[in-house]
Each structure stands twice: as structure tokens, then as C-alpha cells.
């Protein structure tokens, strides 16, 4: 029996040995921990599918799970960005050896951070960044005395009691960004953290630095990285304690309200990265900056710095790789052309600075340069040749809004990915581009010749081509299958001729197609119906023929369709009413002869008074280099607000223009369902019948032009209810009766009602039944027909300009500036039309 037992024991030992040996390469999971993990998973409502690997016994191989090689315990659980939702089960407490827990970038739906986390005493790293936690940070976290890293940033958390922080005595990394710290003296607690290496307090609503705080932030010899960006710091006193920051390597004070001049920085002898973007610094850049031997990144952009920048500002900066002085409009670069800088930069941004008329020659020495931004820098020089040849690693080049001239050589062997030369004076043919280029922005130059060179290579990465406002000619090339990922194509305002090429149908992602103002002829290619992502088609101002294709009805994402000023004939197809998202539909100045289909109740966006969703991204807008003209485009943070506002403004416009065609029949009843419409123009057709009685339901109308038709009957009284109406024209119809009384309708000039059969009443002379002569004897009758036609022609021109302005503006929206006031300008222009009358 004993021997049997021995044999059994041996067997067990051998078995254990085998397990141990195999465990060396493949640790086995603890059953209890496996169950804990499964129970944690079951508490979740949703995850991104990554946890589908959480099956079977081998929990150490599950996604996000790391076990100890020696003990087999789960020591790390990282489930970042897998879209977890639901509850965080306390079964995690069973993971007794868990030292690192990462649940960042999930969406826990605003639940509080569970208090039981405070019982996971062994935790050393806890990452809960941006996972939609809310409520108060549980003070139990203070029980995690081994914690080295704590990231609670970018949730909706509050800190009420902050005593717990001082218990985390070995903390090295702390990120509390986006927690309001304005009411706490938490900074005082932080000062007791002797081992703190890296501290992030961005967006914490910290406004005042009491002078006692900065010297005590951490142990001076330990803090390496301090991020206080996006607060409301107003005192520069932080710099006064420079000597205690001699260990600091990264200092980020971006987007505060620091003012006065940048103080001397000599004490910051270890500084590698300095970010002072978006403050209110004035005065000149201190020469002491040039004495920081470790400096790699210097970002002083978006301040009000002034004075000269000279070579001595950079004398010891031989490690500098990023220099950003952009948008300090009073800063003048005063650097000798033969300067040989101590550094080799990767990124230079001098946008919106006064670089001087000449292209800075010293840039030629920067042969490792990846990104050069000199847009809006007042350069009037010729682009130097070395830009394209010597700077062979250049990937991003932004030079828009200067007066740079010259030609561009064959770029096919360069590394350029993004190139914005808009609004300059370049005058060569369009060059050959490298295969991997993604954005080509050359609008507003004097490029000549044809585009055929684009067909020489495939460009799989290409997303945007903006070539508007140049002097390009010849046929639009028919090789678009070679750039299949194009999102926006803008060839507007050139001299392209021939037909719109069928290969555009290969652009399955294209969202914006702008070709207005060319000499294009033929029909819209049938293949275009395959471009189902199209939201914007502007082919106005060409010589297109044929009928409006019925496949337009399949372009369900279409928001803007401009066929204005072509030679289209036939009817307005009822299929157009399938395009329910339409927001601007301009078919004016064509030869359309049909009735107007009565299906406008289908246009849901036009029916709604809400602002539709609109994304400038689809216009290939070159956001990377764009800035507001500096008056209020102060920072890119504010600028994003601008962008939103800009989108909103652009989205506001809802317009139908069928003017100057040969449309007949009556105004469809369904028009009145377009309650969100801003502008309706049906002038210059042969419309008959009454003005629809419900017209007053289009409450948002700013502009209504029904002139030059044969409309009869009375002006509907409901019209008096449109208070927003700024432009009105009913002239040249057969309308009769009394103009309804409302301050609105009476505020227009008599010309708005001129040339009708029998309109009367203010602003026209009183009606006969009121005892006055009817309109027929008005002095206006002396106006001869020719004058009338002239008037309407001029009016046409004015309105053409107005709408041309919109489309023209969109055409170059990506290239020039974001103008808040454009809509105002546009409607002022319409007002001018009115005034002109
Ligand atoms: C466990 O062992 C693997 C190689 O077998 C190694 O790559 C890994 O870093 C080890 N993990 C730990 C936590 O020691
Ligand atoms: C957070 O969760 C709440 C509740 O589910 C939800 O309404 C909110 O949109 C979420 N916030 C974010 C930023 O995801
Ligand atoms: C954990 O923290 C809470 C609140 O800070 C405290 O009351 C409790 O005693 C602590 N528990 C342990 C086990 O330390
Ligand atoms: C910032 O703090 C002030 C008081 O110091 C408070 O009135 C304000 O609401 C806070 N702002 C945010 C966004 O928390
Ligand atoms: C910066 O200073 C200018 C005037 O010097 C002032 O108008 C502006 O409000 C200040 N901006 C901030 C963010 O403090
Ligand atoms: C800095 O801003 C504060 C508060 O706005 C102001 O009182 C102070 O005069 C400014 N200092 C300088 C040097 O502009
Ligand atoms: C551009 O340079 C000219 C002279 O070269 C100067 O008069 C003008 O003020 C500068 N403009 C800007 C915006 O710096
Ligand atoms: C452009 O350069 C490439 C690479 O050097 C060369 O193959 C190609 O022939 C050149 N094209 C023209 C038109 O010069
Ligand atoms: C272009 O990009 C592809 C994939 O990103 C890469 O493999 C290729 O080497 C790049 N070509 C050039 C010429 O840089
Ligand atoms: C068209 O482009 C030319 C430059 O080629 C420019 O001068 C003109 O203003 C542009 N026209 C419109 C309407 O944008
Ligand atoms: C498009 O419109 C036409 C005519 O109005 C209609 O017959 C057709 O069913 C619509 N097609 C779709 C797919 O909605
Ligand atoms: C209105 O739109 C729907 C699709 O939303 C379409 O089925 C219907 O045919 C359209 N009606 C007309 C008259 O086009």
C-alpha cells in the first residue's frame, strides 16, 4: 500500500512537474480569477467584441489580460478603448495580484468610479481616462498607497474631499485634467507628492497661482513634466520660481492668460519642451531662450510678441527640432541670409509672422525638415528651387496667402503629402506629384496648361484636389479611377472645356464636386450616379446640355445641387423630390420648360426650421493650415469654435432658385411645406395662376422673387406674416387687388409691385374703392418696356453675383479664410439689390 501511495505521490509530483515545466512557457490561469473575469464581463452591457476571446480555460491569453510568468496570477488588465459599457463588477476584487488596471476610453454612461477600487490595495497603476465617469472621485482611492500612476482625466468628475491625495505618497504620474479644481486647494496636496514626475492639470479651471504654491509643487528634483494648459492662469509668477524647476523637462502653459513679457528662463536648465501658445505675452522674446541647451521644442505661437528675432535667440539651441513662432503679427524675423543655424529642425512654423519679403534662406540648411508652414507670412519672393530639391524629406508644406511666384518642378520623387500653395502667384503647369500625396491645394494662382499630367501615376492616398481660380484649360482628364479615394475635387473658375469625364464615377467616396465657371459641355455623365456619397455638386456657369437626369433622384445624400447657368432643357424631373436632404437647389438660367412637380413636401431639410448638419470636411478644407485673420482668430482652440459657428452659418442657407427658365403652370401647393426655406426665386418664367394662399407658412423666407411671370389674382394675406422678409419682388405679373396691409409688405419700394394688372394700396397708390386712381395712372407707367427689361437684366446680374458669390465662396472656402460675416455680407448684397431699385 505504501509503495502504491509512493507511486501515486510520484505520479502526482511528475504531473505537477509537467505542469510547472509547461507553465514556464504557458502559465495556467487561476480558476478563481478566471471566474472573476467572466463575472466582470457579465456585468457589462456591451463591449466592442474584443472580449469574445474571453472563453475557455486559458484566461491568461484573453484579450487585455496579462498573468505573472511565475505565479499565473492576473497582474494586469487593460481594456482601453474597447467600448465597454455597463457596470464594473466588484468581482475584480478577486484579482488579488492585479497591479495595473486600465479602463480608459470606454463609455460607462456616467456612473461614479466604484468605491471598491479603493480596496485593491496592491494596485500600482490605474487608468480611467475619458470613460464617461461622473460624480465625486471616491476618497477610498487614498487607500491605494502603492499607486504610481493615476489617470482620472477627461471624465465629468468632481473632487470634494482631497485629503486622500496626500496618502498616495509614491505617486509618480498624475493626470486630473478636466476636473474642476477651482474650489479646492488640491495643489497644496500635490506639493507633498515627493516622487511626482509628471503632472497634468489641463482644463482644470485653475485661475490663481498663489505665490506660495509653485515652489512647492513636488520635489524640485523630481518633477519632469508639468502641464497646466487650458486654465486661466494670469500671473507669470510661476516663472519667478525658476530655480526650483531646474529638473523640469516639459512645461506646457498653452492657452492661459499669461501676460507681460516672457521672463528670463535661464534657470530652466533641463527644459526640453516649452509650450506657451495662446497666451497674452507681449514684448520681445528674451535672449535667454537661446541659452537653453536641451531645448527641443519651442512653441510661442498665438501671442502678441513683438520685436526682432535674431540669430542670437537660437545661439545654443543645437537640439531644437520644432520651432513655432506663428501668429505673432508684430514679430519680425531679422536673420542674415547666410546664417547657419545650430539646429536641424523637423517642423518650422512662421505663419502669420512678418518673415520679410524674401523667402528665408536659412531654411535651406534644414535638410531634415518634415513640415514647413509660412502661410500668411507676407512673402513676396519667388519660391526658391531648393525648396523642392534640397528639402527632400519635406512632407507638409503650407505657403498659402502670400505673394509667392515661380514655377514648380516635377515633384514625383519628393516626399510631399500635403501641399497648400493657395492664393499666391505660381504660374507653371500643374506639376507631377508624388504617388503618396494626400492633399493638393493650389487654388487662386496662375497655373496654366492642362491637367493631363495627373493621369501619369496612381494616387491612392489622394483625398482633396483644389485647383479653383487658376487658368487651367483643356479637357478634364478621364483617369479618376487612379485616385479612387478622392473626397473633394474643385476645378471651379478655370477654362476647362469638353465633357465632364465618365471616370468620375469611379470616385465612390467623393462628397464635393465643384466645376463651376468653366466651358464644360455635354451632359452630366450617367456614371456620376455611382458617386453615392456626393453631397455637393456645383457645375453652374458652364455650357452643359441635355436634360436634368432622373438618376439625380438616387443621390440621397445630396445637400447642394447647382446647375445654374447652363443650357439644360426638358423638365424638372419629379425624381428630384427623392433627394430629401436637399438644402440648396439652383436650376436657374437654363432652358427648362415644364411644370414644376408638386412634391416639395418631400424635402425634409427644407421643411424643417432647424439648422441641418453640415460638414466642411467634405469640401476638402485644408484645416491644417487655416486660421482666422488674426483679429479674433486668436488660437486654434477658439478657432474650433469658429469652425462650428462657420458650419452653422453655412448650414443656415436653404435656397430654391428656378429663375430664368421657361417653366409654366402654377406654383405647386407643396411649396408652402418648405417652412425652413430662406430664399425662393421663381422669376423670369411663364408661371400662371395664383400665388399659393399658404405662402405665409414659409416663415423663414428672407428673399422672395416671383417677378416676370404671369401670375394673377391677389397677393395672399398670409404673406404679411413673414416678418423676416428682406427682399421681395412681384413686379411684371398680372397680379391685382389690394396689397395686404402689414408693416412688412409696405416697407418695400413700389418697384417691388410694379408692372402688374391692378395692384393697389400702399406702397402703390390707394385702391379705387379708397377713392384714388388705380396703379395704371401711376407715373411708373411712363417707364417703357425697354427700361423694364433692363431693370430685370440688371437685377439678374445682381442676383447672379449674389449667388455666384455663395458658390464662388464655397469654391474657395477651403482656401482662404473663415469669414463669420459672410452671410451678413450676402444678405447685405441682397439688400443692395433692393436699395438699387
Ligand atoms: C513572460 O514571459 C514572456 C516570454 O515568455 C515575456 O515576453 C514576458 O515579458 C513575460 N512577462 C512578464 C510579466 O514577466
Ligand atoms: C455619458 O453617459 C450618458 C448617460 O448614458 C450619456 O447621455 C452621455 O452622452 C455620455 N457622455 C459621453 C461623452 O459619452
Ligand atoms: C479606505 O478609505 C476610506 C475613506 O478614505 C477609509 O474610511 C477606510 O478606512 C479605508 N479603508 C482601509 C481598509 O484602509
Ligand atoms: C470655474 O471656476 C469658477 C469659480 O472659480 C466657476 O464660477 C466656474 O463655474 C468654473 N467653470 C467651470 C467650467 O467649471
Ligand atoms: C490679451 O490682451 C488684450 C489686450 O492687451 C486683451 O484685449 C485680451 O482680452 C487679452 N486676452 C486674454 C485672453 O486675456
Ligand atoms: C496682466 O493682466 C492683468 C489682469 O488682466 C493686469 O492687471 C495686468 O496689468 C497685466 N499685466 C501686463 C504687464 O500687461
Ligand atoms: C507686409 O509687408 C509690408 C512691407 O513689406 C508691410 O507694409 C505690411 O505691413 C506687412 N503686412 C503684414 C500683415 O505684416
Ligand atoms: C519626373 O520625374 C520622374 C522621376 O525622376 C521621372 O521618371 C519622370 O520622367 C519625370 N517626368 C517629367 C515629365 O519630367
Ligand atoms: C506610399 O505609401 C505606401 C503605403 O502607405 C508605402 O508602402 C509606400 O512605400 C509609399 N511610397 C512612397 C514612394 O513613399
Ligand atoms: C477666377 O479666377 C481668376 C484668376 O484666375 C480670378 O482673378 C477671379 O477673381 C476668379 N473669379 C471668381 C468669380 O472667383
Ligand atoms: C423616386 O421618385 C419617383 C418619382 O417621384 C418615384 O416613382 C420613385 O419611387 C422614387 N424612387 C425611390 C427609390 O424612392
Ligand atoms: C418622396 O421621398 C420618398 C423617399 O423618402 C420617395 O419614396 C417618394 O417617391 C418621394 N416622392 C416623390 C413624389 O418623389
Amino acid at each position: 500500500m505504501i509503495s502504491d501511495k509512493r507511486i501515486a505521490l510520484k505520479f502526482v509530483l511528475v504531473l505537477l512537474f509537467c505542469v510547472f515545466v509547461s507553465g514556464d512557457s504557458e502559465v495556467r490561469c487561476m480558476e478563481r480569477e478566471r471566474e472573476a473575469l467572466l463575472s466582470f464581463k457579465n456585468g457589462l452591457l456591451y463591449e466592442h467584441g474584443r472580449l469574445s476571446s474571453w472563453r475557455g480555460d486559458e484566461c491568461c491569453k484573453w484579450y487585455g489580460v496579462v498573468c505573472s510568468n511565475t505565479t499565473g496570477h492576473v497582474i494586469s488588465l487593460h481594456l482601453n478603448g474597447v467600448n465597454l459599457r455597463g457596470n464594473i463588477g466588484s468581482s475584480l476584487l478577486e484579482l488579488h495580484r492585479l497591479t495595473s488596471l486600465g479602463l480608459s476610453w470606454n463609455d460607462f454612461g456616467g456612473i461614479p468610479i466604484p468605491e471598491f477600487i479603493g480596496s485593491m490595495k496592491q494596485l500600482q497603476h490605474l487608468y480611467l481616462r475619458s470613460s464617461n465617469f461622473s460624480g465625486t472621485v471616491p476618497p477610498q482611492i487614498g487607500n491605494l498607497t502603492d499607486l504610481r500612476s493615476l489617470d482620472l482625466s477627461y471624465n465629468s468628475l468632481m473632487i470634494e474631499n482631497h485629503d486622500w491625495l496626500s496618502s498616495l505618497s509614491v505617486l509618480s504620474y498624475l493626470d486630473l485634467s478636466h476636473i474642476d479644481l477651482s474650489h479646492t486647494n488640491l495643489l497644496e496636496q500635490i506639493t507633498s507628492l515627493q516622487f511626482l514626475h509628471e503632472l497634468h492639470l489641463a482644463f482644470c479651471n485653475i485661475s490663481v497661482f498663489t505665490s506660495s504654491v509653485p515652489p512647492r509643487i513636488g520635489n524640485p528634483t523630481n518633477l519632469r513634466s508639468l502641464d497646466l494648459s487650458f486654465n486661466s492662469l494670469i500671473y507669470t509668477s510661476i516663472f519667478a520660481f525658476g530655480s526650483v524647476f531646474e529638473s523640469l523637462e516639459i512645461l506646457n502653459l498653452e492657452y492661459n492668460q499669461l501676460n507681460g513679457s516672457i521672463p528670463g528662463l535661464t534657470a530652466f536648465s533641463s527644459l526640453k519642451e516649452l509650450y506657451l501658445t495662446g497666451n497674452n505675452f507681449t514684448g520681445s522674446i528674451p535672449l535667454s531662450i537661446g541659452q537653453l541647451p536641451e531645448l527641443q521644442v519651442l512653441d510661442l505661437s498665438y501671442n502678441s510678441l513683438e520685436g526682432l528675432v535674431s540669430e542670437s535667440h537660437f545661439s545654443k539651441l543645437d537640439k531644437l527640432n520644432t520651432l513655432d513662432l506663428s501668429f505673432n503679427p508684430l514679430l519680425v524675423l531679422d536673420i542674415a541670409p547666410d546664417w547657419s543655424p545650430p539646429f536641424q529642425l523637423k517642423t518650422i512654423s512662421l505663419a502669420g509672422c512678418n518673415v520679410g519679403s524674401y523667402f528665408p534662406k536659412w531654411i535651406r540648411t534644414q535638410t531634415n525638415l518634415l513640415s514647413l508652414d509660412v502661410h500668411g507670412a507676407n512673402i513676396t519672393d519667388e519660391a526658391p528651387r531648393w525648396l523642392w530639391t534640397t528639402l527632400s524629406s519635406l512632407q507638409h508644406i503650407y505657403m498659402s496667402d502670400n505673394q509667392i511666384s515661380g514655377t514648380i518642378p516635377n515633384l514625383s520623387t519628393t516626399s510631399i503629402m500635403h501641399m497648400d500653395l493657395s492664393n499666391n502667384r505660381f504660374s507653371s503647369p500643374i506639376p507631377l506629384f508624388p504617388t503618396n500625396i494626400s492633399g493638393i491645394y493650389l487654388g487662386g494662382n496662375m497655373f496654366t496648361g492642362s491637367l493631363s499630367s495627373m493621369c501619369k501615376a496612381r494616387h491612392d492616398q489622394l483625398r482633396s484636389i483644389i485647383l479653383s481660380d487658376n487658368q487651367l484649360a483643356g479637357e478634364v482628364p478621364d483617369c479618376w479611377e487612379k485616385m479612387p479615394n478622392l473626397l473633394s475635387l474643385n476645378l471651379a473658375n478655370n477654362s476647362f472645356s469638353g465633357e465632364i469625364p465618365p471616370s468620375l464615377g469611379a470616385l465612390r467616396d467623393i462628397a464635393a464636386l465643384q466645376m463651376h465657371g468653366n466651358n464644360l459641355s455635354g451632359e452630366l455623365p450617367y456614371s456620376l450616379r455611382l458617386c453615392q456619397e456626393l453631397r455637393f455638386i456645383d457645375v453652374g456657369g458652364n455650357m452643359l446640355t441635355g436634360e436634368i437626369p432622373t438618376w439625380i433622384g438616387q443621390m440621397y445624400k445630396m445637400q447642394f445641387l447647382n446647375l445654374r447657368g447652363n443650357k439644360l432643357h426638358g423638365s424638372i424631373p419629379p425624381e428630384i423630390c427623392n433627394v430629401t436632404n436637399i438644402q440648396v437647389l439652383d436650376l436657374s438660367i437654363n432652358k427648362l420648360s415644364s411644370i414644376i412637380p408638386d412634391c416639395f413636401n418631400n424635402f425634409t431639410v427644407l421643411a424643417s426650421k432647424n439648422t441641418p448638419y453640415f460638414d466642411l470636411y467634405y469640401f476638402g478644407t485644408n484645416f491644417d493650415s487655416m486660421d482666422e485673420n488674426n483679429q479674433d482668430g486668436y488660437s486654434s482652440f477658439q478657432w474650433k469654435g469658429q469652425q462650428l459657428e462657420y458650419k452653422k452659418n453655412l448650414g443656415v442657407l436653404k435656397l430654391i432658385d428656378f429663375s430664368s427658365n421657361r417653366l409654366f403652370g402654377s406654383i405647386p401647393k407643396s411649396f408652402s411645406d418648405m417652412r425652413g426655406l430662406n430664399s425662393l426665386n421663381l422669376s423670369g418664367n411663364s408661371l400662371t395662376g395664383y400665388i399659393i394662399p399658404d405662402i405665409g407658412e414659409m416663415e423663414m423666407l428672407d428673399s422672395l422673387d416671383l417677378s416676370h411671370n404671369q401670375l394673377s389674382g391677389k397677393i395672399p394675406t398670409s404673406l404679411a406674416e413673414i416678418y423676416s422678409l428682406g427682399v421681395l419682388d412681384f413686379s411684371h405679373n398680372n397680379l391685382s387687388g389690394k396689397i395686404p396691409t402689414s408693416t412688412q409688405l409696405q416697407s418695400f419700394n413700389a418697384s417691388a409691385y410694379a408692372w402688374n394688372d391692378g395692384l393697389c394700396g400702399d406702397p402703390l397708390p390707394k385702391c379705387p374703392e379708397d377713392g384714388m386712381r388705380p396703379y395704371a395712372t401711376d407715373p411708373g407707367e411712363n417707364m417703357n418696356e425697354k427700361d423694364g427689361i433692363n431693370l430685370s437684366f440688371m437685377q439678374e446680374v445682381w442676383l447672379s453675383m449674389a449667388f455666384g458669390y455663395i458658390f464662388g465662396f464655397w469654391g474657395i472656402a477651403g482656401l482662404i479664410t473663415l469669414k463669420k460675416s459672410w452671410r451678413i455680407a450676402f444678405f447685405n448684397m441682397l439688400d443692395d439689390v433692393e436699395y438699387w431699385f
Side-chain angles (χ1 to χ4, degrees), residues 123-126 141 144-150 168 170-171:
L123 262 193
Q124 296 179 7
H125 308 278
L126 177 59
I141 286 189
L144 304 177
T145 49
D146 269 351
L147 217 51
R148 267 85 168 154
S149 316
L150 176 61
L168 307 181
V170 293
L171 205 60

Side-chain angles (χ1 to χ4, degrees), residues 135-371:
T136 308
V137 175
Q140 284 82 355
I141 286 189
N143 294 347
L144 304 177
T145 49
D146 269 351
L147 217 51
R148 267 85 168 154
S149 316
L150 176 61
D151 187 347
L152 304 177
S153 60
Y154 302 99
N155 288 291
S156 310
L157 293 167
M158 291 176 299
I159 290 185
E160 273 170 11
N161 170 350
H162 46 73
D163 295 339
W164 54 270
L165 197 58
S166 49
S167 334
L168 307 181
S169 56
V170 293
L171 205 60
S172 150
Y173 177 98
L174 178 61
D175 192 341
L176 299 178
S177 296
H178 210 273
I179 298 179
D180 188 348
L181 302 180
S182 60
H183 300 292
T184 69
N185 62 342
L186 182 128
L187 281 171
E188 307 272 355
Q189 304 291 325
I190 291 172
T191 62
S192 61
L193 303 173
Q194 295 297 302
F195 295 97
L196 203 60
H197 250 76
E198 193 168 340
L199 174 61
H200 294 271
L201 300 174
F203 297 99
C204 287
N205 198 10
I206 303 171
S207 54
V208 176
F209 244 147
T210 63
S211 60
S212 66
V213 173
R216 292 174 52 211
I217 286 192
N219 181 331
T221 55
N222 278 319
L223 196 64
R224 297 278 186 271
S225 173
L226 175 61
D227 173 5
L228 292 168
S229 58
F230 297 94
N231 283 291
S232 314
L233 302 177
I234 50 175
Y235 298 134
T236 53
S237 59
I238 184 169
F239 292 101
F241 303 95
S243 59
V244 303
F245 281 126
E246 57 202 15
S247 63
L248 207 60
E249 293 173 2
I250 301 176
L251 177 59
N252 186 344
L253 299 173
E254 283 180 3
Y255 300 101
N256 279 284
Q257 283 146 36
L258 300 172
N259 65 356
S261 39
I262 299 176
L265 293 162
T266 26
F268 290 72
S269 52
S270 309
L271 206 59
K272 289 181 177 166
E273 301 177 21
L274 177 62
Y275 303 91
L276 300 179
T277 307
N279 278 285
N280 233 355
F281 285 115
T282 50
S284 52
I285 301 177
L287 283 173
S288 60
I289 275 189
Q291 307 298 315
L292 299 172
E294 303 299 323
L295 202 63
Q296 294 170 10
V297 177
L298 177 60
D299 185 350
L300 306 178
S301 56
Y302 294 96
N303 279 289
S304 307
L305 295 167
E306 52 202 76
L308 301 183
V309 179
S310 66
E311 293 90 334
S312 38
H313 280 101
F314 305 103
S315 51
K316 291 208 179 128
L317 304 186
D318 56 330
K319 293 183 180 154
L320 200 68
N321 63 47
T322 300
L323 174 65
D324 191 346
L325 302 178
S326 55
F327 295 96
N328 284 285
L330 300 177
L331 213 52
V332 178
L333 265 72
D334 180 31
I335 287 172
D338 58 352
W339 182 45
S340 160
F343 46 64
Q344 279 293 333
L345 299 175
K346 292 208 157 73
T347 302
I348 301 178
S349 180
L350 303 172
C353 292
N354 212 331
V355 165
S357 314
Y358 297 109
F359 211 95
K361 276 220 175 64
W362 60 269
I363 291 177
R364 181 180 193 165
T365 61
Q366 304 299 299
T367 48
N368 297 336
L369 203 60
L370 297 177
S371 171

Side-chain angles (χ1 to χ4, degrees), residues 576-606:
I576 213 160
C577 295
N578 292 349
V579 190
T580 53
N581 288 327
I582 203 86
Q583 195 178 324
V584 170
L585 178 58
D586 189 343
L587 309 178
S588 63
I589 322 181
N590 275 291
K591 297 177 177 167
L592 301 173
S593 55
S594 70
I595 59 160
I596 302 176
D598 190 6
C599 55
F600 286 74
N601 48 335
N602 239 15
F603 292 150
T604 48
V605 172
L606 292 180

